[in-house]
Amino acid sequence: ALLFTLLERPPMQTILMTGFYVALAALVVVLGIGIANIARTDDKQASRSNKLMRLRIMIQAIVIVLLVALGVTLGAVKIGF
């Protein structure tokens, strides 16, 4: 049913929606790895935690951009004067 729903949409919406879900899944994975990293006690834990936080922020920015672009293509967000 989901495949038919995606195929009925215009191609740009399908691409943006798929990209949004992939980026959202990546965000959840990085967040989970970051939470698991907090439990570690080795010497590189702080450095690894910092890198994971930077990666999470980059992915969040991508998710927000995709969400806004999806909103524009669906007509929920109007950009203009």
Side-chain angles (χ1 to χ4, degrees):
L2 178 64
L3 181 62
F4 292 121
T5 305
L6 288 175
L7 292 177
E8 291 172 1
R9 296 186 184 277
M12 182 58 82
Q13 289 177 4
T14 302
I15 292 169
L16 288 172
M17 193 172 292
T18 304
F20 173 73
Y21 286 128
V22 168
L24 200 58
L27 180 64
V28 169
V29 168
V30 171
L31 184 61
I33 292 171
I35 290 171
N37 186 55
I38 292 173
R40 298 181 95 175
T41 57
D42 58 353
D43 293 338
K44 297 187 179 194
Q45 187 267 345
S47 174
R48 192 171 37 249
S49 183
N50 195 5
K51 288 178 184 176
L52 286 168
M53 189 183 311
R54 281 190 238 145
L55 180 61
R56 182 179 53 85
I57 290 170
M58 283 192 322
I59 295 174
Q60 280 178 331
I62 292 168
V63 167
I64 291 170
V65 167
L66 287 171
L67 187 60
V68 170
L70 193 57
V72 169
T73 59
L74 291 172
V77 178
K78 304 249 188 283
I79 295 180
F81 297 99

